[in-house]
Amino acid sequence: PSPLLAPPPAPPMLPAGWAGLCCVGAALAQCVREGLAAEPVRQVLAAARRIVWHFQQDARAAAALNPKAEAASKAGARLVLDEPGRWASALEMCESLLELKWVVSSVLEEQEAGPSLADHQWRLLQELVPR
């Protein structure tokens, strides 16, 4: 037979009673994907994206954010928008939003515009971030 048509190698033989395990990284990624697919999580991440997007697109909101961040000793902090397909970036977005929670909330409340998060959504964001 041609080497191009050779069957894949047989999996290694395991001792009786043992089961094969998948790669830990692949298992972790699958668990995270399933967790991020839960409806409450999807909703809070979508709302968080809208807030970050609002500050990236609205010059007035962004201009109001910077002095408030400096006053709160968060001058180096910035809002991060997640990237589709990179679950670690969703974590970065949650962390950045939580770090600037009071500053962001204050600007949104003062301007009476833009998206916001309810208290239970802020709590869910907090639960998503490892301590």
Side-chain angles (χ1 to χ4, degrees), residues 43-92:
Q43 289 176 0
V44 76
L45 290 176
R49 274 184 212 103
R50 285 190 297 274
I51 290 173
V52 174
W53 181 255
H54 173 74
F55 281 96
Q56 289 181 346
Q57 299 301 311
D58 187 313
R60 198 180 101 191
L65 186 68
N66 293 329
K68 286 188 178 289
E70 288 177 19
S73 300
K74 303 281 184 182
R78 62 183 183 85
L79 292 174
V80 176
L81 187 63
D82 67 339
E83 299 174 31
R86 290 193 57 239
W87 57 264
S89 71
L91 175 62
E92 292 168 7

Side-chain angles (χ1 to χ4, degrees), residues 13 36 39-40 52 69 71 83 131:
M13 295 300 294
L36 293 177
E39 191 57 30
V52 174
E83 299 174 31
R131 299 176 213 278

Side-chain angles (χ1 to χ4, degrees), residues 30 33 66 69 72 76 82 86 104 129:
Q30 181 63 30
R33 273 193 302 276
N66 293 329
D82 67 339
R86 290 193 57 239
V104 165
V129 175

